[in-house]
Amino acid sequence: MNHPYHLIASAESWIEGEALRQLEQTAQLPGMRQAVGLPDLHPGNGYPIGAAFLSDLIYPALVGNDIGCGMTLWQTDLLVRKFKPERAAERLQGLEDPWEGALADWRADFALEPTAFDTALGTIGGGNHFAEMQCIESVLDPPALLTLGIDPDQALLLVHSGSRGLGEAILHALIAAKGHAGLDPETPESLDYLRQHEQALRWAEANRALIARRILDALNADGARRLDVWHNLVQPMDWQGERLWLHRKGAAPSDRGALVIPGSRGTLSYLVKPCVDCKQSLYSLAHGAGRKWKRGEARGRLSGRQRPEDLIKTALGGRVICEDKELLYDEAPENYKGIERVVGDLVAAGLCTIIAALRPLLTYKVRRPAHRQPGMRKQEHRRS
DNA sequence: ATGTTC
């Protein structure tokens, strides 16, 4: 049988063949009704990233290990004209260590049960996760910005992170028991997964909020959350009289208000307003620029031209904190497709409009590799 | 993506 799938991308958007194969393959899984690739579509670990899937069954492996991963945007009280990236960088220390505040209160605010992973609450993690201080570059929709409560004179804080070890443990246990098979939504194992998934969503949201809180505290600043969206999750959806399951795999929701579609740390990001009727994209938007190069490729491609010292400053003048060399290369702007094309494709498809463009001032990745203790330098001379 | 890689 052939299940329908389609791609939302203009002819100018380059989509890797492997990503299209994964989209087509995933669309053929039992119970799949529809599959949509967004313009940031790229290959993932068996399933494509930057896609949404509507199904009769629940596919935990499709949601992936980082259940609840997403983006939050905070308005700070720091005036952009007074913000000094170098001074702020000096103040951002120890963000990889367990938070020393009142964890029980924080859990209560987000209705979280204690988990074995709570020492990681308030930590950014690795991969493409980051926290970034930004300013508003240009405003295309002033009323929408005003409605969101964003003052263009004040710096913004964008955080991308997820459920860290918790989501990973939930998926790992599920796969050990059930493999990659789709689950009948009515079964006990489905209900158990959905209960844990719900916890992971809230944990991830709490994590982003705590990351923002820790950064604001370090900068002696205050702030207020303006939005928080998940881009990895599964949720029930009423679809033409049926109850189906919408999986978002690196796909932002179009039905939860305004959101940020981040570029790379060397480009602008876009604050967008989803259009009302996004049925064609399964109520989803791109979640970022999308990788152009696989993880691990960048060092070989870039190290001849760019030294680590070059990579801590970006083309737009932003400062980068990333003391893990591999990650510094792997997340360099060259790894990503052009964000203007991705957002342009969404606008052209009638899925969103642009509220404002955001410019990176300071991007925080990691202070030092968590797996390498001070004094251990065994990987220092490893090639490629 | 991941208290990461025996």
Side-chain angles (χ1 to χ4, degrees):
Chain A
M1 57 189 150
N2 258 314
H3 300 145
Y5 68 94
H6 72 278
L7 185 63
I8 293 169
S10 65
E12 292 78 32
S13 266
W14 178 79
I15 308 281
E16 212 173 314
E18 175 62 12
L20 291 170
R21 273 191 294 280
Q22 288 183 343
L23 179 64
E24 181 175 1
Q25 246 173 26
T26 308
Q28 306 313 318
L29 291 173
M32 279 294 171
R33 300 294 192 90
Q34 287 200 40
V36 173
L38 293 151
D40 59 334
L41 189 79
H42 61 281
N45 187 14
Y47 309 99
I49 299 162
F53 301 89
L54 191 64
S55 166
D56 293 325
L57 303 176
I58 294 170
Y59 282 94
L62 181 49
V63 174
N65 63 322
D66 199 359
I67 303 163
C69 187
M71 313 282 316
T72 190
L73 183 71
W74 286 58
Q75 155 96 68
T76 79
D77 63 358
L78 297 169
L79 288 171
V80 171
R81 65 174 182 274
K82 290 188 178 173
F83 183 75
K84 301 281 185 287
E86 283 302 330
R87 194 173 307 170
E90 286 167 20
R91 288 174 172 270
L92 296 178
Q93 304 284 345
L95 293 173
E96 291 75 27
D97 300 329
W99 185 51
E100 289 176 347
L103 210 52
D105 293 350
W106 201 268
R107 277 196 211 104
D109 286 349
F110 289 87
L112 293 174
E113 318 266 342
T115 78
F117 303 93
D118 292 353
T119 53
L121 201 57
T123 63
I124 294 167
N128 56 2
H129 291 171
F130 64 84
E132 189 169 271
M133 297 295 299
Q134 304 178 328
C135 66
I136 295 200
E137 173 80 1
S138 56
V139 181
L140 279 75
D141 186 347
L145 199 67
L146 194 67
T147 302
L148 274 171
I150 293 176
D151 179 342
D153 292 334
Q154 292 176 310
L156 296 165
L157 171 55
L158 179 69
V159 177
H160 177 205
S161 190
S163 55
R164 312 285 281 107
L166 177 62
E168 159 74 19
I170 293 168
L171 180 64
H172 189 265
L174 194 289
I175 285 180
K178 292 280 160 188
H180 283 236
L183 305 179
D184 180 333
E186 299 304 320
T187 57
E189 56 265 28
S190 271
L191 297 174
D192 189 45
Y193 171 73
L194 289 173
R195 184 185 53 74
Q196 296 182 72
H197 168 281
E198 173 67 26
Q199 274 286 309
L201 293 188
R202 286 208 301 277
W203 198 102
E205 182 184 353
N207 188 38
R208 290 187 286 272
L210 186 50
I211 291 164
R213 168 52 51 202
R214 294 179 80 180
I215 289 174
L216 291 169
D217 285 350
L219 300 180
N220 271 326
D222 207 350
R225 193 169 81 167
R226 292 301 181 235
L227 60 92
D228 184 281
V229 295
W230 297 293
H231 54 226
N232 288 349
L233 81 164
V234 58
Q235 64 179 68
M237 175 161 278
D238 293 324
W239 188 265
Q240 295 159 0
E242 286 184 283
R243 189 178 199 237
L244 301 178
W245 294 86
L246 176 63
H247 301 69
R248 291 199 180 98
K249 175 65 172 176
S254 76
D255 50 3
R256 285 177 56 92
L259 54 99
V260 176
I261 303 178
S264 72
R265 64 198 186 204
T267 68
L268 301 177
S269 292
Y270 288 86
L271 178 63
V272 304
K273 183 166 73 175
C275 296
V276 175
D277 185 13
C278 292
K279 198 175 177 186
Q280 57 153 326
S281 68
L282 296 176
Y283 302 100
S284 300
L285 301 177
H287 81 315
R291 284 196 87 86
K292 185 172 68 181
W293 299 345
K294 287 184 180 53
R295 287 208 169 93
E297 276 184 19
R299 200 162 178 178
R301 288 179 184 253
L302 292 176
S303 62
R305 294 186 280 135
Q306 297 195 69
R307 311 275 59 181
E309 312 83 88
D310 305 324
L311 290 168
I312 61 168
K313 282 281 187 183
T314 72
L316 289 183
R319 170 83 163 79
V320 177
I321 299 171
C322 182
E323 297 178 356
D324 179 329
K325 209 175 282 181
E326 203 69 43
L327 190 59
L328 185 63
Y329 280 99
D330 257 343
E331 293 297 317
E334 288 85 350
N335 287 275
Y336 288 90
K337 299 190 231 185
I339 186 63
E340 278 76 19
R341 175 85 274 153
V342 170
V343 172
D345 284 1
L346 295 174
V347 171
L351 295 172
C352 68
T353 56
I354 297 171
I355 299 173
L358 314 178
R359 168 189 284 260
L361 299 171
L362 172 61
T363 307
Y364 188 101
K365 296 289 289 180
V366 69
R367 269 292 173 199
R368 72 181 147 71
H371 61 277
R372 203 185 306 168
Q373 296 306 313
M376 292 175 68
R377 301 169 60 90
K378 64 184 169 102
Q379 297 191 335
E380 232 16 59
H381 292 95
R382 197 173 49 133
R383 287 254 318 150
S384 67

